[in-house]
Amino acid sequence: MGIVYSNDSTAIAYDKAGSGLPLILVDGALCSRTNGPNGPLAALLQQHFTVFTYDRRGRGDSGDMKPYDIEREVEDIAALIEEAGGSAFVYGISSGAALALEAANRLSSIKKLALYEAPFVVDNSRTPVPEDYMEQMEGLLTSGRRSAAVKHFMRKGVGLPAPIVAIMPLMPAWSKLKAVAHTLPYDTLLTLDHQRGSALTLNRWSSITVPTLVAVGGKSPAWMRNAMQSLADVLPSAKLETLEGQTHIVKPAALAPILNNYFLK
């Protein structure tokens, strides 16, 4: 494990593996470098790249500093890029894709960008995230109800059916999810403005000219596929790729060849 210090002196923990051009993997909500899809993905990418996985602030071995601001998370990525040699490729999944977009909008050191299923709601194919979603989330966390906060995220944020959410506390990983529940508002700030049922908010990133791969699972719901098509349409140098047979829980073995092919071109 290595440590870099962000602009506000927050310690950001990372792992580095492989050789080749640097590639930074950005996690989505509730994940970290030891719990989530990017660890197994890194193992498949390290043959061609120097792969950095890291704990986003507030998670794992990384520090945190209040108040939270999206700019601080962008500065965390900037610190990792500096550690990597001054430029890097960046891949983000789910709300990590939204963070990667924010980073590409502000950092010229990102040379190529790849995104998998940023959780945007841009039309009426899914119920928008409720107006009071963040207020409810913060209320649950303030009262120490971490389990309820994770359920709130899964039900109202992700849109999972209530019966599935009800049994999720039986999963072995539930305790790990609760441990980082306090970071859910961070992911909410990254995504909430783009979950209201309109594609117009995506114009925020229309000035990103870095080559971008926008990927989506062929078995993901229509609202997600529509959102990624809209995002690819907004980004000037983007192409959309559909991974047939995949969902939001994308298999690293299906994703790694796509990323290898894209970043090595």
Side-chain angles (χ1 to χ4, degrees), residues 23-93:
L23 169 58
I24 295 171
L25 308 185
V26 185
D27 280 312
L30 299 174
C31 296
S32 66
R33 75 186 204 284
T34 60
N35 180 43
N38 281 345
L41 179 62
L44 298 178
L45 296 172
Q46 65 186 41
Q47 179 180 352
H48 300 291
F49 306 98
T50 301
V51 185
F52 290 76
T53 54
Y54 74 104
D55 291 333
R56 286 175 52 190
R57 59 175 53 214
R59 310 180 190 188
D61 294 310
S62 287
D64 204 0
M65 191 172 293
K66 305 295 184 183
Y68 174 82
D69 191 284
I70 291 171
E71 182 67 26
R72 303 292 83 75
E73 285 223 72
V74 171
E75 290 169 354
D76 299 345
I77 293 175
L80 288 164
I81 292 175
E82 186 64 27
E83 178 71 14
S87 66
F89 302 143
V90 172
Y91 161 77
I93 183 170

Side-chain angles (χ1 to χ4, degrees), residues 25-31 37-38 56 59 91-102 114-120 126 153-154 157-158 184 186-188 190-191 194-195 205 215-216 223-224 228 231 247-250 255:
L25 308 185
V26 185
D27 280 312
L30 299 174
C31 296
N38 281 345
R56 286 175 52 190
R59 310 180 190 188
Y91 161 77
I93 183 170
S94 195
S95 57
L99 175 54
L101 279 165
E102 293 288 353
L115 312 168
Y116 190 82
E117 295 201 355
F120 302 149
R126 195 205 113 161
F153 164 71
M154 295 295 182
V158 178
L184 284 170
Y186 303 177
D187 297 276
T188 300
L190 284 162
T191 58
H194 314 289
Q195 296 177 315
W205 298 298
V216 65
W223 67 269
M224 182 67 78
M228 292 305 93
L231 180 60
T247 66
H248 196 63
I249 312 300
V250 62
L255 180 59

